[in-house]
Amino acid sequence: MHIVICIKQVPDSAQIRVHPVTNTIMRQGVPTIINPYDLFALEEALRLRDAYGGEVTVLSMGPPMAEDALRKALGYGADRAVLLTDRYFAGSDTLATSFALSQAIAKVGETFGTPDIVFTGKQTIDGDTAQVGPGIAKRLDLLQLTYVAKIASIDLAAREIQVERRSEGGTQMLKSRLPCLITMLEGTNEIRRGSLQDALCAARSQVLKWSAADAGIEDLTRCGLRGSPTVVKRVFAPTPRAEKAAQIDTAEKPLRDIADELIAAILTRQPALEHELAFNSGA
C-alpha cells in the first residue's frame, strides 16, 4: 500500500504576527513547526503502513526551509519526503495550493506508485480554512472522507475502507472505495516518538526537491499569486463586548422554571426571534 501524507510547515501560532499594511502573516523571526493537525494524519498513515505494509511518502509545498519539517517527518518513520518548492508558488491561496499539490501527488504516483490513500490534517493553524484537502480530492477525482476520527478497517482485496467520521449530529460510519483522501481530526491517536534508527535515517536521507517543472506543472498561471483569487481585505482582533453576560439564579428552582426564565430572557434580548419562531410554527 502506498500512502501520501501532505504536511505544512507553519509559524508557531503562539508567536504569530500580522503585517499592518498587507494583512498577511509575518513569518520572519517566528519559529516554525509542523502543522499540529498534520501530525495526527502522519501518525495514522504510519500505523496503516505498519499494519498492512507499503510505503509512506511525505509531501510539502513551501520555501526551502520547509525541508526541516520533512526531516522531522522522516524522523517519525516516513519512507521518503518530497518538497515542492519554487518561486512560482509564492503567495498561493488554497485554490493555487491544492492545484500545485494535486499535480505533485500525480507525479509522486507516476514515480513511486499510485497512492491508495492521501492524508491531510483537517486544517492548518495559520489559515484555518480546511479547504486544501477537499480541493486536492476534487482535482484528483478522489473520494473524500473529511473529519475522520478513526479508521475502523481496510480491505485491500476488496479495495474498501471503513471510517468513523465526526459530524455535528454525532458520529457517522462510512464505507468508501480506494483510492481516497482522508482529513484527520486532532486527538485521534497518540503520536509516536521516532526511534533512534529513524532519526539516523532521517539525517542521512535525501529530501527530494521538486520545482514546478519537476512536478509536471505546465500552467504556471494557476500557481502562486496569479492563480490565487483570494484577497485578504483586513485582519483584526475582535473588540471585546461592552455588555456583560446575564446570569440567572438557579438556586432551589425547578428545571421548568429555569427553562422558562431563560427563554424569556432570550426573547427579551432578541424580540425578532419570537416573531420568527411564531411565523415558522404557523402560530
Side-chain angles (χ1 to χ4, degrees):
M1 182 164 58
H2 185 200
I3 301 172
V4 173
I5 159 73
C6 297
I7 68 171
K8 184 180 182 182
Q9 187 182 59
V10 296
D12 189 341
S13 59
Q15 304 185 47
I16 217 168
R17 295 175 299 162
V18 176
H19 195 284
V21 177
T22 63
N23 291 323
T24 57
I25 294 174
M26 298 174 62
R27 302 177 184 270
Q28 293 80 7
V30 180
T32 56
I33 58 175
I34 297 178
N35 178 52
Y37 297 122
D38 296 345
L39 289 175
F40 295 103
L42 175 60
E43 174 61 29
E44 199 64 33
L46 294 173
R47 289 187 180 196
L48 292 180
R49 189 271 317 271
D50 295 344
Y52 297 95
E55 294 181 326
V56 171
T57 299
V58 186
L59 172 66
S60 183
M61 187 182 86
M65 63 181 292
E67 180 180 344
D68 295 338
L70 289 171
R71 289 205 176 274
K72 290 179 182 178
L74 290 171
Y76 283 111
D79 297 287
R80 72 174 59 88
V82 179
L83 174 60
L84 191 61
T85 183
D86 199 309
R87 61 185 180 85
Y88 290 109
F89 302 139
S92 294
D93 66 359
T94 56
L95 188 70
T97 298
S98 63
F99 170 74
L101 286 175
S102 65
Q103 296 290 293
I105 292 171
K107 187 66 175 182
V108 166
E110 294 175 5
T111 308
F112 305 109
T114 303
D116 298 284
I117 303 176
V118 177
F119 274 103
T120 70
K122 72 166 187 177
Q123 63 193 64
T124 58
I125 61 172
D126 58 348
D128 282 331
T129 63
Q131 294 174 349
V132 171
I136 293 172
K138 176 64 176 178
R139 295 181 186 279
L140 293 177
D141 196 24
L142 294 174
L143 298 169
Q144 56 179 296
L145 302 168
T146 57
Y147 301 104
V148 171
K150 178 182 177 182
I151 295 179
S153 64
I154 294 180
D155 187 338
L156 293 177
R159 304 289 293 166
E160 291 182 343
I161 184 171
Q162 187 169 345
V163 303
E164 291 183 11
R165 179 184 185 272
R166 202 171 299 164
S167 64
E168 292 182 359
T171 300
Q172 299 173 330
M173 290 295 297
L174 301 177
K175 181 182 288 188
S176 173
R177 298 186 306 277
L178 295 177
C180 67
L181 180 140
I182 296 174
T183 70
M184 291 296 298
L185 286 175
E186 71 282 6
T188 52
N189 48 45
E190 185 176 348
I191 299 170
R192 68 186 64 191
R193 299 174 68 93
S195 66
L196 177 59
Q197 182 179 356
D198 289 332
L200 293 174
C201 289
R204 294 193 300 262
S205 297
Q206 178 188 9
V207 174
L208 299 177
K209 297 181 179 66
W210 286 358
S211 64
D214 294 330
I217 300 175
E218 298 179 356
D219 188 358
L220 296 177
T221 62
R222 302 174 69 179
C223 301
L225 284 174
R226 288 186 294 176
S228 301
T230 305
V231 176
V232 179
K233 183 177 181 181
R234 187 164 67 104
V235 176
F236 63 95
T239 56
R241 290 186 177 183
E243 185 180 6
K244 295 184 179 181
Q247 294 184 343
I248 296 176
D249 184 13
T250 61
E252 300 181 359
K253 290 183 179 179
L255 292 177
R256 181 178 293 276
D257 292 347
I258 296 173
D260 290 342
E261 189 174 348
L262 176 60
I263 292 173
I266 293 174
L267 295 180
T268 299
R269 287 172 173 261
Q270 303 288 338
L273 181 60
E274 183 175 12
H275 174 73
E276 183 179 347
L277 291 174
F279 177 81
N280 291 335
S281 64

